[in-house]
Amino acid sequence: YTTLSRSSVRDPDNCINWARCIRVCIEVQGIGAWGYVGRGLGMQIAPPFDGPLQETDCETCGQCLTACPTGALGPKRAGLRAPAP
Protein backbone atom coordinates (compact mmCIF):
# COMPACT_ATOMS: atom_id res chain seq x y z
CA TYR A 1 0.00 0.00 0.00
CA THR A 2 1.01 3.62 -0.38
CA THR A 3 0.33 6.74 1.63
CA LEU A 4 -2.01 9.19 -0.12
CA SER A 5 -2.04 11.89 2.52
CA ARG A 6 -1.42 12.31 6.23
CA SER A 7 -4.73 10.58 6.90
CA SER A 8 -5.28 8.07 4.08
CA VAL A 9 -3.67 5.10 2.33
CA ARG A 10 -4.16 3.19 -0.93
CA ASP A 11 -3.86 -0.58 -1.38
CA PRO A 12 -4.13 -1.30 -5.12
CA ASP A 13 -4.19 -5.05 -4.45
CA ASN A 14 -7.69 -4.63 -2.96
CA CYS A 15 -9.02 -2.60 -5.91
CA ILE A 16 -11.64 -4.25 -8.15
CA ASN A 17 -11.75 -1.34 -10.66
CA TRP A 18 -15.36 -0.58 -9.83
CA ALA A 19 -14.65 3.15 -10.32
CA ARG A 20 -16.83 4.53 -7.53
CA CYS A 21 -13.86 6.67 -6.46
CA ILE A 22 -13.53 8.07 -9.98
CA ARG A 23 -17.23 8.85 -10.25
CA VAL A 24 -17.52 10.56 -6.86
CA CYS A 25 -14.39 12.61 -7.51
CA ILE A 26 -15.65 13.80 -10.91
CA GLU A 27 -19.43 13.94 -10.43
CA VAL A 28 -19.70 15.08 -6.81
CA GLN A 29 -16.47 17.00 -6.20
CA GLY A 30 -15.81 18.15 -9.78
CA ILE A 31 -12.09 17.39 -9.42
CA GLY A 32 -11.00 14.27 -11.35
CA ALA A 33 -8.03 13.30 -9.18
CA TRP A 34 -8.66 9.59 -9.99
CA GLY A 35 -8.85 7.85 -13.36
CA TYR A 36 -7.99 4.69 -15.26
CA VAL A 37 -4.32 4.10 -16.03
CA GLY A 38 -3.20 1.49 -18.56
CA ARG A 39 -5.25 -0.85 -20.71
CA GLY A 40 -6.47 -4.41 -20.71
CA LEU A 41 -5.53 -6.64 -17.80
CA GLY A 42 -2.98 -4.08 -16.60
CA MET A 43 -5.59 -1.35 -16.20
CA GLN A 44 -5.87 0.12 -12.72
CA ILE A 45 -7.38 3.09 -10.94
CA ALA A 46 -4.82 5.71 -9.99
CA PRO A 47 -4.14 9.44 -10.18
CA PRO A 48 -3.51 10.64 -13.77
CA PHE A 49 -0.38 9.15 -15.35
CA ASP A 50 -0.02 7.07 -12.16
CA GLY A 51 1.62 10.07 -10.50
CA PRO A 52 1.38 11.17 -6.87
CA LEU A 53 -2.04 12.28 -5.66
CA GLN A 54 -0.39 15.43 -4.29
CA GLU A 55 0.25 16.55 -7.89
CA THR A 56 -3.47 16.55 -8.71
CA ASP A 57 -6.20 18.98 -7.72
CA CYS A 58 -7.24 16.64 -4.88
CA GLU A 59 -8.76 18.56 -1.98
CA THR A 60 -8.41 15.64 0.47
CA CYS A 61 -12.18 15.64 0.99
CA GLY A 62 -12.36 11.89 1.74
CA GLN A 63 -15.27 11.19 -0.64
CA CYS A 64 -13.24 8.57 -2.53
CA LEU A 65 -12.41 6.81 0.75
CA THR A 66 -16.09 6.65 1.62
CA ALA A 67 -17.08 5.45 -1.86
CA CYS A 68 -14.53 2.60 -2.04
CA PRO A 69 -16.36 -0.69 -1.33
CA THR A 70 -13.23 -2.82 -0.88
CA GLY A 71 -10.96 -0.77 1.35
CA ALA A 72 -8.45 -0.14 -1.44
CA LEU A 73 -8.72 3.49 -0.34
CA GLY A 74 -9.06 4.04 3.35
CA PRO A 75 -8.08 5.96 6.45
CA LYS A 76 -4.62 5.52 7.86
CA ARG A 77 -4.78 3.59 11.11
CA ALA A 78 -2.60 4.25 14.12
CA GLY A 79 0.75 2.54 13.77
CA LEU A 80 0.23 1.80 10.06
CA ARG A 81 3.13 2.99 7.93
CA ALA A 82 3.68 2.70 4.21
CA PRO A 83 6.82 0.84 3.10
CA ALA A 84 9.87 2.97 2.36
CA PRO A 85 10.28 3.77 -1.36
Side-chain angles (χ1 to χ4, degrees), residues 3-4 6-8 10 14 18 24 36 40 43 51 62 67 76-77 83-84:
T3 299
L4 296 176
R6 294 182 336 177
S7 60
S8 60
R10 171 181 174 225
N14 287 341
W18 204 10
V24 75
Y36 285 112
M43 183 183 68
K76 188 182 293 184
R77 293 176 204 88

Side-chain angles (χ1 to χ4, degrees), residues 44-70:
Q44 63 179 343
I45 294 175
F49 307 109
D50 203 18
L53 191 62
Q54 295 82 1
E55 292 181 9
T56 69
D57 291 333
C58 178
E59 296 178 347
T60 321
C61 67
Q63 293 292 327
C64 57
L65 307 181
T66 305
C68 182
T70 64

Side-chain angles (χ1 to χ4, degrees), residues 26-52:
I26 292 171
E27 296 171 9
V28 176
Q29 293 303 117
I31 301 293
W34 294 101
Y36 285 112
V37 175
R39 294 180 177 213
L41 294 176
M43 183 183 68
Q44 63 179 343
I45 294 175
F49 307 109
D50 203 18

